[in-house]
Amino acid sequence: MHPSSKIFLQTPENSPLGLYQTRQIQAIEAIAKKDLPIGALMRAAGIAATNLANKLLHKKSEKVLVLAGPGNNGGDALEVAHLLAEEGFDVHVLLFGTEQHYSQEAKQSLQRAKHSKLKWPLQAEVETLAVRYWDLIIDGLFGIGLSRPIDGTIATLIAYINNNNNNQQVPILALDVPSGLDADTGTILGGQQNALRATYTISFIANKIGLHTSQGKDFAGQVHVDGLGIDYNIYPPAYAHLLTSKTFADSMPQREHDSHKGTYGDVLVVGGNNGMTGAPLLAGRAALFCGAGRVHLGFLDKFNAVDYLHPELMCRSAQDSDFISAVVAIGPGLGTTDDAKIQLQRALQESTDLVIDADALNLIACHRQLQDLVRHRSQQNLRTIITPHPLEAARLLQTTVLAVQADRCGAAKKLVEDLQVCVILKGAGSIIADADFIWVNSSGNPSLATAGTGDILTGICAAFLAQGLGVTHAACLAAYLHGKGADDCLTDGLGPLGISSSELIQAVRSALNKLIRSKGIPH
């Protein structure tokens, strides 16, 4: 493990930043139940969800629709229903389970609900009403135990709510996980119409990976975590960790007054084949704006001798560039020509610190010799970050995009194992993985879905490596700031449509400096 990885191990068990798999959560629950009365955790879940529901409701006359499924998630929903009814809210329960479907603890919740001032409409009655008839909908249909696509009448109900809740006018609170969403992968079992799109999710016992990556980013909404009072000592190490600004609380790079441009390293961006010279320019500008001491651009094809917008960038041919003295970022606009392959081979053999993206990844996927060179770098203690999007990852793994997206954490881990590198698997909830740990990035939004943003991430990674950050630290910080810059653009009214990559670079610089200042670090 690289020493810089240790900065990410400060997350205590049961922290909202720790992300757990379903099997881990089920094991925690089983251990906790041994020392608790029957139904204690279900009651705790009901109280936690009711507290959050109270924050979403404004007056006692408001109408709440509770969707109670046939399992323990339905039991949680029934707990919330009777607690809200006791507080005076107008609560309607659409029940899909019968007593024979329920566990002993869920039966207790059902009995409490039956003795509460609840209304019990039929599905046909509910579907005659406009969704906006309700002030809050609580989703307790299915939890983390779901293993097949939702079908039948419940699927019909989900489609009715999703299709008629325009712009999510009516908030939906999902209990533990939005019904239909895989808590481990963030994928939807059976397609998008088979999951209920939540505005809020309250995750019980621990935070879950699938709430923060893939389709989970769209379906989970704002995530809240409640440990239900379980003793932290029985929690195993988290499977992954959520990257937020708190991750970097004690690890932002410091700058001394007694320093100079050489202190902060050189970056060389290699790419810019025929018709693609803009890509290395974007990567180089990103490296410049994120603090690299000097930035060189090595072009494979014709190029302007100076970037008039940023003349600080030093332009030359890739063939005449020094791959040994700088952190090399290769791939933006590289192409897949024979010369591109030659320059990539040079980078793999000569560069101490290397960031690989775009066409460089496509070349590696096609040539076993290049794959061997990538692996050999680890044996020489040379540092490598790769930044594939799902299609590039699929090519490297010789699989499909669908397979990559079906298990993004697993795909990232497989890339680490195969190539012995640090990986940033881009996408909704980017996955960062090294040989020891996995992180899921919390920042970012759809405005990043535009040409050039991947080149910017490459440049940011290279800048942080040049300034002396460890490979994992650099990758995590780059991924977080890349998304945070996009988030700040939205906050400032610049999107989500039409944010250009050039605008993003400036936003990333602002986000970086805000993060430094917020920790009281000299700047």
Side-chain angles (χ1 to χ4, degrees):
M1 173 175 45
H2 193 281
S4 68
S5 296
K6 294 178 181 177
I7 63 167
F8 303 111
L9 298 180
Q10 299 173 17
T11 303
E13 313 310 343
N14 197 37
S15 160
L17 302 186
L19 302 177
Y20 287 78
Q21 294 177 304
T22 295
R23 61 176 180 80
Q24 292 178 296
I25 292 170
Q26 290 170 334
I28 295 167
E29 184 177 15
I31 295 169
K33 283 183 175 179
K34 291 178 181 179
D35 298 320
L36 293 171
I38 293 174
L41 285 183
M42 190 166 286
R43 289 192 291 276
I47 292 169
T50 300
N51 290 339
L52 179 53
N54 269 306
K55 295 176 182 178
L56 304 177
L57 294 164
H58 305 290
K59 50 189 178 181
K60 299 300 182 182
S61 61
E62 289 184 315
K63 295 179 175 62
V64 181
L65 176 63
V66 177
L67 310 176
N72 279 351
N73 200 239
D76 296 337
L78 291 167
E79 283 291 333
V80 180
H82 87 79
L83 288 172
L84 288 174
E86 285 180 2
E87 294 183 17
F89 290 103
D90 185 9
V91 183
H92 302 238
V93 178
L94 187 51
L95 186 65
F96 288 92
T98 62
E99 194 160 343
Q100 65 185 22
H101 292 124
Y102 288 133
S103 64
Q104 188 173 355
E105 56 189 338
K107 287 178 182 177
Q108 293 179 353
S109 299
L110 178 60
Q111 290 305 312
R112 278 191 288 273
K114 285 183 175 180
H115 290 87
S116 296
K117 295 179 180 179
L118 296 171
K119 297 172 184 175
W120 303 84
L122 299 175
Q123 181 172 344
E125 296 176 75
V126 169
E127 292 182 359
T128 62
L129 301 169
V131 171
R132 63 179 178 273
Y133 176 82
W134 310 103
D135 297 294
L136 176 67
I137 297 174
I138 295 176
D139 169 21
L141 291 170
F142 293 102
I144 61 176
L146 186 68
S147 59
R148 59 178 177 80
I150 298 172
D151 55 16
T153 57
I154 296 182
T156 302
L157 175 69
I158 287 173
Y160 154 75
I161 295 173
N162 284 344
N163 293 336
N164 293 283
N165 193 19
N166 298 328
N167 299 317
Q168 293 190 294
Q169 290 177 320
V170 178
I172 296 177
L173 171 59
L175 305 182
D176 211 22
V177 64
S179 292
L181 186 75
D182 188 306
D184 287 339
T185 66
T187 56
I188 294 171
L189 301 166
Q192 289 204 9
Q193 286 303 315
N194 281 64
L196 191 54
R197 189 182 291 265
T199 321
Y200 304 90
T201 296
I202 181 164
S203 182
F204 299 134
I205 299 179
N207 209 340
K208 299 168 181 67
I209 303 159
L211 301 177
H212 301 281
T213 193
S214 193
Q215 293 163 301
K217 290 282 286 184
D218 290 310
F219 277 76
Q222 188 180 114
V223 177
H224 299 256
V225 182
D226 195 292
L228 307 185
I230 294 175
D231 186 351
Y232 295 177
N233 292 320
I234 70 173
Y235 281 68
Y239 177 79
H241 298 270
L242 190 66
L243 277 185
T244 72
S245 62
K246 294 179 181 178
T247 309
F248 309 100
D250 301 312
S251 64
M252 290 304 296
Q254 299 187 34
R255 289 212 160 184
E256 303 290 341
H257 288 287
D258 185 19
S259 62
H260 52 82
K261 62 187 177 185
T263 308
Y264 304 113
D266 289 7
V267 169
L268 167 63
V269 181
V270 179
N273 217 320
N274 184 28
M276 297 182 286
T277 55
L281 283 169
L282 287 170
R285 291 169 182 173
L288 181 70
F289 274 48
C290 286
R294 290 173 293 221
V295 181
H296 307 262
L297 306 182
F299 293 90
L300 270 75
D301 201 55
K302 295 178 182 178
F303 61 93
N304 292 325
V306 63
D307 173 12
Y308 289 103
L309 184 60
H310 289 289
E312 305 92 340
L313 300 175
M314 292 168 273
C315 305
R316 65 194 66 184
S317 70
Q319 295 82 353
D320 294 332
S321 296
D322 177 5
F323 284 48
I324 297 174
S325 303
V327 172
V328 176
I330 188 165
L334 184 71
T336 55
T337 61
D338 288 343
D339 191 26
K341 182 183 175 185
I342 290 169
Q343 301 309 318
L344 176 56
Q345 184 169 324
R346 278 187 64 198
L348 291 169
Q349 293 175 320
E350 297 177 17
S351 172
T352 300
D353 298 315
L354 183 60
V355 184
I356 309 174
D357 185 29
D359 280 332
L361 295 173
N362 294 327
L363 282 167
I364 290 168
C366 294
H367 298 281
R368 185 174 296 276
Q369 175 200 11
L370 295 177
Q371 295 166 26
D372 290 339
L373 287 175
V374 175
R375 282 187 284 267
H376 187 57
R377 290 179 56 80
S378 176
Q379 297 164 17
Q380 297 176 296
N381 292 319
L382 303 178
R383 306 193 301 171
T384 312
I385 298 173
I386 67 171
T387 63
H389 56 55
L391 178 56
E392 291 160 349
R395 290 168 179 156
L396 289 166
L397 293 171
Q398 296 185 327
T399 187
T400 64
V401 172
L402 191 62
V404 169
Q405 293 295 81
D407 185 3
R408 287 170 53 76
C409 287
K413 283 180 64 176
K414 186 68 165 58
L415 285 170
V416 172
E417 293 166 4
D418 286 357
L419 297 174
Q420 298 174 35
V421 294
C422 180
V423 175
I424 303 176
L425 176 56
K426 295 180 287 197
S430 291
I431 308 297
I432 302 90
D434 65 10
D436 300 290
F437 303 103
I438 300 173
W439 294 266
V440 181
N441 186 32
S442 66
S443 66
N445 61 71
S447 66
L448 290 170
T450 189
T453 56
D455 304 316
I456 290 170
L457 177 62
T458 300
I460 300 169
C461 288
F464 291 152
L465 287 177
Q467 291 169 80
L469 273 65
V471 63
T472 303
H473 189 178
C476 287
L477 183 58
Y480 173 74
L481 286 170
H482 185 248
K484 186 63 168 64
D487 291 341
D488 290 347
C489 283
L490 258 64
T491 301
D492 294 339
L494 296 178
L497 301 181
I499 295 176
S500 70
S501 293
S502 295
E503 291 172 307
L504 177 64
I505 293 172
Q506 298 182 53
V508 170
R509 177 178 62 183
S510 295
L512 170 59
N513 283 294
K514 286 177 184 176
L515 190 57
I516 290 171
R517 288 194 293 269
S518 70
K519 308 307 173 189
I521 301 297
H523 59 280

